[in-house]
Amino acid sequence: MLIIAGLGNPGGKYAGNRHNIGFMAVDAIHRRHSFSPWSKKFRAEIAEGELGGEKVLLIKPQTFMNLSGESVGEAMRFYKLQPADLVAIYDELDLPQGKARLKTGGGHNGHNGIKSLDAHCGKEYRRLRLGIGHPGVKEMVQSHVLGDFTKADKAWVEPLLDTLADNADMLVRNEDSQLMNKIALALGGKAEEERPAKDQRPTGQSHIQQARGHNQPKLPVTGPMADMLKKMFGNKGD
């Protein structure tokens, strides 16, 4: 069994917040696949269903973000699950809008919901971070995170959530890199970032060496100037 936990804050006041993109993600998965209606258990809203032939529990903790781990941890203990059986979906300030990253384990990066999950569920669970962008100024972080997505944001939020929902079975099959590629392509990016082209300068030469060898003036080999240079520097063998 796999638990997919979307993190957010309960209540209509927070429903459209950037901080609630985790809730939005599991809602999108719920709409796209055959899950039971939402019900209340483990101090959360939960729905049961199947993805990729495996039983899946969707969970939206109703404890408020900072106590998310209390709810998810209760569900994990009830089903006797390990951290490897959990995928947490949440917002990430330090990723550009629409970017997604998925990995097992790692730090909380100041995210209070993840701090709580780490404390109550262990740390070696899979973390699907959905980028909401950074406002650029530390003083604006709180208002940015707890602010609603704008109409312009729909251009990237909707394809991000739709692609995640369409391919949610990849989470069950641990096809993490393939899922990230699909999301990147849906958002107009590339499946793999291209490396910058290598400098075409001759191997083993520095920029200075190249400059010295480029457009050097030809020295006279005969005449008065050539004689003077020979007297000054003599003849050098190879």
Side-chain angles (χ1 to χ4, degrees):
M1 181 179 180
L2 182 70
I3 291 181
I4 300 178
L7 304 191
N9 287 311
K13 176 182 177 181
Y14 303 101
N17 286 184
R18 294 179 180 89
H19 211 27
N20 271 38
I21 197 169
F23 275 11
M24 297 174 193
V26 292
D27 281 337
I29 294 171
H30 184 268
R31 288 192 300 268
R32 195 62 47 89
H33 301 275
S34 297
F35 279 84
S36 67
W38 291 105
S39 61
K40 293 186 177 181
K41 194 174 182 179
F42 312 122
R43 289 182 286 169
E45 291 185 359
I46 64 170
E48 296 180 348
E50 283 192 3
L51 290 172
E54 183 172 337
K55 187 176 180 181
V56 172
L57 180 76
L58 302 179
I59 183 168
K60 297 187 293 183
Q62 301 296 292
T63 52
F64 286 92
M65 181 69 82
N66 294 3
L67 301 177
S68 297
E70 295 183 4
S71 169
V72 177
E74 190 176 330
M76 290 179 67
R77 289 189 293 275
F78 180 86
Y79 290 106
K80 297 180 173 60
L81 299 178
Q82 301 300 315
D85 303 313
L86 170 65
V87 176
I89 307 177
Y90 58 100
D91 59 300
E92 177 56 76
L93 264 174
D94 292 335
L95 280 178
Q97 293 178 346
K99 295 289 185 182
R101 295 290 184 272
L102 179 56
K103 71 173 183 177
T104 299
H108 55 73
N109 200 26
H111 194 291
N112 288 328
I114 298 304
K115 282 183 184 179
S116 182
L117 285 184
D118 287 353
H120 293 273
C121 306
K123 294 185 177 182
E124 293 305 304
Y125 56 90
R126 288 152 74 203
R127 303 159 191 241
L128 176 50
R129 299 176 293 145
L130 304 180
I132 60 170
H134 195 288
V137 181
K138 183 178 179 181
E139 289 73 20
M140 294 178 62
V141 165
Q142 185 173 355
S143 60
H144 176 74
V145 169
L146 295 179
D148 286 356
F149 285 113
T150 66
K151 290 182 178 179
D153 289 329
K154 288 184 178 181
W156 64 267
V157 174
E158 290 180 355
L160 171 64
L161 298 181
D162 286 345
T163 304
L164 175 57
D166 287 343
N167 300 281
D169 56 323
M170 288 182 167
L171 291 172
V172 173
R173 296 196 298 267
N174 290 291
E175 296 174 348
D176 295 359
S177 60
Q178 294 93 321
L179 177 58
M180 294 301 95
N181 283 344
K182 283 187 175 291
I183 290 175
L185 291 170
L187 272 293
K190 296 178 181 178
E192 294 183 4
E193 293 183 4
E194 294 182 359
R195 294 182 179 180
K198 291 183 179 179
D199 195 339
Q200 297 300 313
R201 67 178 179 269
T203 303
Q205 286 192 355
S206 69
H207 292 294
I208 295 174
Q209 288 172 325
Q210 289 183 78
R212 285 173 176 169
H214 185 66
N215 293 330
Q216 284 187 334
K218 293 183 178 179
L219 298 177
V221 294
T222 60
M225 181 61 75
D227 293 339
M228 182 181 72
L229 291 172
K230 286 178 182 179
K231 290 179 181 179
M232 291 175 63
F233 300 107
N235 291 322
K236 292 184 178 179
D238 292 336

